[in-house]
Amino acid sequence: MHMPADDDADALSPAARRLYAYAVERHAFGAAEATDALGVRAAAALTELAAAQLVQPVPAEPGGDGGPRWSAVSPRAAVARALAPLALRMRATHDEMDLVRRRLDALVPEYEAGAARRDLEGLAALELVTDLGAVRAVIAELVASCEREVLTSQPGGGRPPATLEEAIGRDESVLARGVRMRTLYQHTARYSRPTAAYVERVTARGAQVRTLGDGLMRMIVVDGRTALMAVPDVSGAALVVREPAVVHFMTEAFERSWVEAEPFASTVSPDQARSLSDELRQKIVRLLSEGLEDKVIARRLGMSERTCQRHIAEIMRAVGAKSRFHAGYLLAGVAGRGLVTVPGSDGPGGTAGSV
């Protein structure tokens, strides 16, 4: 069955088209004439033409029957008449659109200025500092302006005496102002006499210090707003972080490590030394079973490579390994079952301060 197209629905009816052709041939016509020419459909056809602006009323002729008369309107004129209301609405719409555009365009300078400031702040949110002296200056400035808390994570075992000497005055001044200070070291730091002496002084003034075997990242977080983190493979460099989400992540990482860490005692008893030494060797077993090199294991656990190699040699003797490959094979099973005990060792390197 034929379905009329959308265009067909808006087209004139055949009767209206015939009446329009009739009207075009005359200057004017009346309803009675149209009925005589077209029959009963003339009235509906005339209404249709009038709605389409294709006929218009004209004054009655003198002596006529007095009924309304009509004349044809050209299609182009009819288009103009029919579209006039639409054009008015469109003009009003365009005026409204222009008003909205002007109103919002007026905000462009403020937006661009704010975006420029935002971009500058975004660049400042992550600032790479590659000079060690500049890094120390940034740390000194941040700590000096600290109001609530300083969190420090220092992997790598004992700290150099020169670094500790530089830090002690600054840290004691911060603690004297009532600022909370928490620091994480690795277990091997306990066997460094300068580090132990530093810890004893700052803890006497309220600082808290704990140690962990592995898993620390080198960082400082000040007041939960600004942080510094070490840059891998760039010695002495630091990334200054002011992005809140990143600082929050670093703070949470510190808190997780803090919960697992053990308090840093100023003196290490023989039993504590054996316990820590056993824990370190167990971590060496795990890392050795993963196939890591000596220098990587040493760096992870904060000890010298020579001390690490001595531990590895003792572990290899304990499990009867003839080579590192053999040791890795054997330790892959040992690592998950228990501690590898190596007698005769009272610290990470057998004697205090060897790390």
Side-chain angles (χ1 to χ4, degrees), residues 78-89:
V79 167
R81 293 181 182 182
L83 295 184
L86 295 177
L88 289 175
R89 288 199 295 270

Side-chain angles (χ1 to χ4, degrees), residues 25-261:
E25 295 174 355
R26 290 158 178 78
H27 291 293
F29 68 94
E33 297 174 51
T35 302
D36 291 340
L38 299 176
V40 295
R41 296 180 179 272
L46 183 60
T47 301
E48 188 177 347
L49 292 176
Q53 305 289 340
L54 288 169
V55 293
Q56 62 184 354
V58 297
E61 295 179 357
D65 59 7
R69 295 182 66 77
W70 303 84
S71 65
V73 177
S74 73
R76 289 187 177 88
V79 167
R81 293 181 182 182
L83 295 184
L86 295 177
L88 289 175
R89 288 199 295 270
M90 289 179 63
R91 188 174 301 113
T93 300
H94 281 297
D95 291 343
E96 185 177 359
M97 291 171 61
D98 289 340
L99 178 62
V100 172
R101 185 180 294 108
R102 289 195 302 271
R103 184 187 302 127
L104 298 182
D105 282 347
L107 300 175
V108 169
E110 285 80 358
Y111 176 84
E112 291 179 345
R117 288 193 297 270
R118 179 194 62 203
D119 292 342
L120 288 175
E121 292 171 359
L123 291 175
L126 295 175
E127 179 186 358
L128 179 63
V129 183
T130 57
D131 179 72
L132 180 57
V135 171
R136 288 174 174 169
V138 171
I139 294 174
E141 180 182 354
L142 287 174
V143 173
S145 61
C146 180
E147 298 176 353
R148 301 193 316 274
E149 184 176 49
V150 178
L151 308 177
T152 307
S153 177
Q154 294 281 2
R159 300 173 70 190
T163 302
L164 294 170
E165 184 177 350
E166 177 186 349
I168 187 64
R170 179 187 66 215
D171 294 347
E172 286 181 333
S173 174
V174 171
L175 291 166
R177 292 193 283 111
V179 173
R180 187 184 183 194
M181 182 174 290
R182 289 187 287 159
T183 303
L184 281 170
Y185 290 113
Q186 289 185 273
H187 290 330
T188 48
R190 295 171 182 259
Y191 300 96
S192 165
R193 290 191 181 94
T195 304
Y198 163 83
V199 170
E200 186 173 6
R201 285 184 61 175
V202 295
T203 53
R205 287 163 175 78
Q208 300 178 63
V209 183
R210 296 183 182 182
T211 64
L212 197 65
D214 188 15
L216 295 183
M217 61 179 289
R218 189 177 303 278
M219 66 178 183
I220 299 174
V221 181
V222 179
D223 283 342
R225 293 195 299 264
T226 308
L228 280 83
M229 67 169 65
V231 179
D233 302 324
V234 183
S235 178
L239 188 66
V240 183
V241 181
R242 296 184 179 88
E243 167 56 45
V246 180
V247 175
H248 176 74
F249 174 82
M250 295 171 67
T251 303
E252 289 298 307
F254 179 93
E255 296 293 355
R256 290 188 180 91
S257 297
W258 183 260
V259 170
E260 299 177 0

